[in-house]
Amino acid sequence: MITFDEATGIFHLQGKQTSYFMQKNEQNHLFHLYWGSRLAKRLPDYVLKEIKRASYIADTDHIKEYKLERLPQEYPAFGNSDLRKPAYQLTFQNGTQISDFRYVTHEIIQGKPALKGLPSLRESIDCETLKITLHDAYQQINLSLFYTLFEEADIITRHSELENVGDDPVEINQLNSACVELPTSDLDLLHLSGSWARETHIQRTPLSQLNYRVESTRGSSSHEHNPFIALMEKEATETNGDVYSMNLVYSGNFEATVDVEMQDAVRMQIGMNSTLFGWQLQPGKTFVSPEAVLVYSQHGLQELTHKYHQAYQNYLLPKKFAKKERPILVNSWEACYFDLKEEALLELAQSSKDLGVELFVLDDGWFGHRDDTSSSLGDWFVDSQKFPQGLEHFITQIKQIGLDFGIWVEPEMISEDSNLYRQHLDWCIEVPGRLKSYSRGQFVLDLANTEVQNYLIETLSELFQRYDIDYVKWDMNRSMTETGSNALTSSQQKEFYHRYMLGLYRVLAKVTEQFPDILFENCAGGGGRFDPGMMYYMPQTWTSDDTDAIERLAIQEGTSLIYPAISMGAHVSQVPNHQIGRVTPLNTRGVVAMQGNFGYEMDLSKIPLEEKLEIKAQIEQFKKIRSTVQLGTFYRLAVPVKDNAKAWLFLDEQQVVVSYVQIHAKPNSPSKRLKLTGLNPEGLYLLPNGEKRYGDELMAFGLAIDTVKQDFYSQQWILQKVEDE
Ligand code: GLA
């Protein structure tokens, strides 16, 4: 419920377990009072009054002791008497940058208005939106702050809009999506960082008086940092303590900042990256920031994860696929790379079908004359050397084998050696006169150019119309460098990165609307754009190009903090592993890949019989647990020896799936147990060995872990819920 109390000027966003308070004072400034566990009885109208005034800080509005810098701001301005980090920055016609927004009005709307041109959480029956409008009378600009409360899911989404109601253009230098102040810095910052093939590793850093910045300037949300930050109580764990977090529904450059100021208060913000952003807001126009999702948990990371997973599965993923079990696939990439031969591919497809696979994915190399990374991106027509009888013929055979058919594209890219490049020399991202860098041998198409967007919509529509395609892997394999657009004026060049994203979202919206039955998988060299923005259009993402089971433990654990298993691609691949050379048992590769959308990335036609039999059993096993993994509830489990094992659990009404992976064998190890969580204490569960245990026992004592002299050993248990005798 969202309420406003006239007498105190307090807004209360009251979720199932969370309260969020703001207060407007007599000066019409808007302050942040509280974000935390749900308060039911009274409004905290004493908080602002009780904040001690420090000296050496300017008075505001000529009111003695009215010091904005000491007060928690809801959406802090630049250049007034609060000299901390602002939430936005504008430059006016006269060159000045100071603004002064004061509350004018607000409205509480049932539902949730869409964000024009941008992905955002979808409306639900139990959501309400608060729109607070502020105004800068000197510069004639309106600033609207939007808050949508999803009461049952217990999350809040926020974004900001600026409307130029004056006569002169205004330059927007920054417009954050959300800002929250917390009264103490006795907290840890948690974020997800890494690189290509090493995405989403959890980092936890104690705060001190510093400015922290988690960001991407790569043109995509990036492998380096996910657009997510959390602040946690120092004592907070998986199951205990306060956690405050923000995740940005945006796939381009972002910044998430935490500023610990001199009096120890903390400002936490998220939005588009201000270093690489500028926007000319013309009179009469409105600019819309991306949306931030704010999740508070009173019970550590587990509750945080559950709130994100439920919200994303219910309100973010495309409806048609959000609750639909995903096909088990085989992908040609690590099996064949560019060496695609029709006969071998059909053998791979037949063997895969025999083992229980459901979808065949033809990865890179099927188009133009693409035998390596140096050519053909942009030429989305079939390579007749590789498929002499055409792609229709090949697809027909795949379908006759009994498999669905999927295809790889990388539509945002262009190779210098392509017909598209020769025809449209000005369609690349570039700064005329400057050398543009190759990365993986390719350039980036200028999606800020409407002509390029239209071309992509047409080309992809033709491709998906012409062939019988069930699945598309949409890849994006480089960062943006030497950015500029031939289609933009000089004053618009700073708008490039955001215009690119708006262009991409337009293309994605059109193509996915036109082909609602195609299952789209988002990929950017693995998880380089694993973010809620892409997830709005594409129900699953290839988590990482690293398919090594042990490397995947940390990657998938980090990803699982926010994103549900049904959005996470995980495949079994060959050994020695192609990315890091490690040899792990097939069972462990299977157990780890069963944490998401399961599949194979290896030549299943060229493996020994015993491996085939093991894979057949693996697929049968996954089919039994698929609905629990993809539609059930997920828990990370505590392991007996931290850092040397990972364990997790999925459950639904029928069964519990428990997975455990040991990294290194240790000498003279006593036998250990794995405690389960989330079970019904009084529920009775049938173990794979035929014994029965109650939920309370399984949570108190857990399951016995095998003591084995083997690195990378794993165990998986399926426990059936049974009737109590
Ligand atoms: C990227 C993807 C891989 C594969 C290759 C093909 O690296 O992440 O899965 O599709 O491109 O070139």
Side-chain angles (χ1 to χ4, degrees), residues 277-556:
F277 173 73
W279 194 274
Q280 289 292 323
L281 188 66
Q282 299 300 333
K285 296 284 181 199
T286 297
F287 182 85
V288 181
S289 85
E291 180 169 275
V293 180
L294 274 65
V295 176
Y296 161 76
S297 159
Q298 200 186 351
H299 302 291
L301 293 173
Q302 183 182 95
E303 183 181 299
L304 184 97
T305 291
H306 288 165
K307 287 184 177 174
Y308 274 113
H309 285 195
Q310 276 163 25
Y312 287 175
Q313 201 152 1
N314 290 332
Y315 314 124
L316 182 63
L317 293 181
K319 281 249 175 301
K320 180 147 199 173
F321 291 98
K323 306 260 169 82
K324 191 170 171 188
E325 291 175 38
R326 305 298 165 75
I328 298 170
L329 65 81
V330 65
N331 179 300
S332 67
W333 181 239
E334 286 197 26
C336 317
Y337 293 103
F338 293 103
D339 187 18
L340 300 178
K341 295 200 177 66
E342 203 169 350
E343 205 178 316
L345 290 169
L346 291 171
E347 270 174 41
L348 168 60
Q350 185 61 60
S351 308
S352 306
K353 171 71 188 170
D354 295 344
L355 301 179
V357 167
E358 298 158 332
L359 164 70
F360 177 88
V361 180
L362 183 61
D363 208 281
D364 198 353
W366 62 268
F367 53 93
H369 58 98
R370 185 144 163 109
D371 297 324
D372 52 41
T373 54
S374 67
S375 85
S376 304
L377 293 168
D379 292 349
W380 301 110
F381 46 82
V382 70
D383 180 343
S384 54
Q385 303 276 327
K386 290 178 184 160
F387 298 93
Q389 300 177 77
L391 196 55
E392 282 101 340
H393 178 76
F394 179 71
I395 298 174
T396 307
Q397 292 180 85
I398 294 288
K399 301 258 159 154
Q400 274 164 3
I401 289 173
L403 293 171
D404 283 347
F405 177 76
I407 200 160
W408 178 96
V409 285
E410 197 182 353
E412 298 156 72
M413 296 294 150
I414 182 163
S415 304
E416 198 166 15
D417 178 6
S418 68
N419 293 346
L420 188 68
Y421 187 80
R422 286 181 282 271
Q423 282 158 14
H424 297 284
L425 290 172
D426 59 342
W427 275 12
C428 285
I429 290 178
E430 63 182 351
V431 176
R434 292 201 186 269
L435 212 58
K436 43 184 185 291
S437 304
Y438 297 99
S439 177
R440 215 185 188 229
Q442 64 203 46
F443 299 136
V444 188
L445 278 174
D446 176 11
L447 266 74
N449 181 343
T450 320
E451 223 188 317
V452 177
Q453 295 163 24
N454 292 342
Y455 162 81
L456 276 186
I457 295 166
E458 262 170 51
T459 311
L460 294 170
S461 303
E462 267 171 39
L463 186 71
F464 302 157
Q465 195 84 60
R466 174 160 176 201
Y467 300 110
D468 188 3
I469 290 173
D470 304 291
Y471 158 108
V472 168
K473 178 172 168 188
W474 182 302
D475 212 338
M476 199 290 254
N477 276 316
R478 64 161 291 178
S479 301
M480 295 177 200
T481 59
E482 297 93 18
T483 50
S485 165
N486 293 313
L488 299 179
T489 62
S490 55
S491 64
Q492 289 173 322
Q493 292 298 327
K494 280 188 187 167
E495 302 176 4
F496 167 76
Y497 283 104
H498 186 56
R499 284 188 182 272
Y500 181 99
M501 289 320 303
L502 294 175
L504 172 63
Y505 289 144
R506 176 171 171 252
V507 174
L508 288 172
K510 292 265 184 222
V511 173
T512 54
E513 268 162 32
Q514 211 184 322
F515 298 93
D517 296 329
I518 294 183
L519 169 62
F520 283 88
E521 177 147 341
N522 162 42
C523 176
R529 234 173 20 189
F530 201 141
D531 59 63
M534 295 305 283
M535 210 173 270
Y536 177 82
Y537 304 98
M538 306 206 192
Q540 58 189 54
T541 300
W542 179 226
T543 313
S544 177
D545 272 350
D546 198 331
T547 54
D548 174 71
I550 301 304
E551 287 299 304
R552 276 283 183 137
L553 291 175
I555 297 170
Q556 293 178 188

Side-chain angles (χ1 to χ4, degrees), residues 528-672:
R529 234 173 20 189
F530 201 141
D531 59 63
M534 295 305 283
M535 210 173 270
Y536 177 82
Y537 304 98
M538 306 206 192
Q540 58 189 54
T541 300
W542 179 226
T543 313
S544 177
D545 272 350
D546 198 331
T547 54
D548 174 71
I550 301 304
E551 287 299 304
R552 276 283 183 137
L553 291 175
I555 297 170
Q556 293 178 188
E557 181 182 47
T559 307
S560 82
L561 264 191
I562 331 170
Y563 306 113
I566 198 165
S567 66
M568 211 163 88
H571 301 165
V572 174
S573 64
Q574 267 135 269
V575 288
N577 172 268
H578 290 192
Q579 291 78 42
I580 66 160
R582 185 184 277 133
V583 177
T584 51
L586 182 53
N587 184 57
T588 300
R589 281 176 273 152
V591 166
V592 174
M594 287 186 208
Q595 199 189 337
N597 297 326
F598 189 63
Y600 290 84
E601 193 97 11
M602 60 195 278
D603 195 342
L604 298 173
S605 66
K606 297 203 179 64
I607 51 172
L609 182 63
E610 58 273 23
E611 268 190 42
K612 280 194 178 170
L613 294 175
E614 195 176 337
I615 286 177
K616 196 162 191 238
Q618 229 166 37
I619 293 175
E620 274 164 23
Q621 169 97 335
F622 189 68
K623 285 180 181 167
K624 284 190 208 134
I625 64 172
R626 171 164 43 189
S627 68
T628 312
V629 170
Q630 297 179 351
L631 311 175
T633 310
F634 170 80
Y635 292 88
R636 287 172 293 270
L637 298 180
V639 288
V641 185
K642 209 170 157 263
D643 299 333
N644 195 38
K646 294 276 180 222
W648 60 94
L649 171 161
F650 291 97
L651 61 82
D652 59 21
E653 289 299 308
Q654 283 75 43
Q655 60 184 5
V656 186
V657 181
V658 186
S659 302
Y660 171 84
V661 180
Q662 161 185 292
I663 301 177
H664 290 115
K666 299 280 177 197
N668 193 13
S669 296
S671 61
K672 293 273 191 309

Side-chain angles (χ1 to χ4, degrees), residues 170-205:
V170 174
E171 188 184 341
I172 308 173
N173 310 111
Q174 179 173 20
L175 188 71
N176 278 347
S177 302
C179 172
V180 163
E181 282 197 28
L182 298 171
T184 172
S185 68
D186 199 19
L187 299 164
D188 288 345
L189 166 63
L190 184 134
H191 68 286
L192 302 172
S193 66
S195 70
W196 173 79
R198 197 161 36 78
E199 300 89 338
T200 53
H201 280 54
I202 298 175
Q203 309 288 344
R204 191 169 172 168
T205 316

